[in-house]
Amino acid sequence: MGEIVASIKLVSDIVSEISTASEEQSSGVQQVGEVVSQMDQATQQNADLVVQRAASAESLKDQAKLLVEAVAVFKLSRDSFRVSDASKA
């Protein structure tokens, strides 16, 4: 009879350990899920920033083109680029 009681106690202890391990595993899986969700949010924010930066770069490119066109109306003589001998000294 004592052997049966000891075996039942052993089985009960094992089931208790399995239950505890399952709870810990569940908690760990939940934490991993939360971290993955946070990483997904950060990735989405980064993707949004990339789109914004690309639009900004395209806008700057267009503005630079317009500026080049606006400045192109000014004509300078070749002499205006020469540095005088007095300013070289």
Side-chain angles (χ1 to χ4, degrees), residues 54-68:
S56 296
E58 188 65 29
S59 176
L60 286 174
K61 179 182 168 186
D62 293 343
Q63 291 175 17
K65 182 179 177 185
L66 291 173
L67 182 60
V68 166

Side-chain angles (χ1 to χ4, degrees), residues 10-70:
L10 179 61
V11 169
S12 176
D13 290 345
I14 291 171
V15 168
S16 178
E17 288 177 16
I18 291 172
S19 176
T20 301
S22 294
E23 289 173 9
E24 290 174 0
Q25 185 178 26
S26 176
S27 175
V29 168
Q30 182 179 0
Q31 289 175 354
V32 168
E34 291 171 3
V35 169
V36 168
S37 177
Q38 291 172 356
M39 289 173 60
D40 183 53
Q41 289 174 354
T43 300
Q44 185 60 46
Q45 289 174 347
N46 285 343
D48 292 343
L49 290 173
V50 167
V51 169
Q52 290 173 4
R53 296 307 174 258
S56 296
E58 188 65 29
S59 176
L60 286 174
K61 179 182 168 186
D62 293 343
Q63 291 175 17
K65 182 179 177 185
L66 291 173
L67 182 60
V68 166
E69 290 171 2

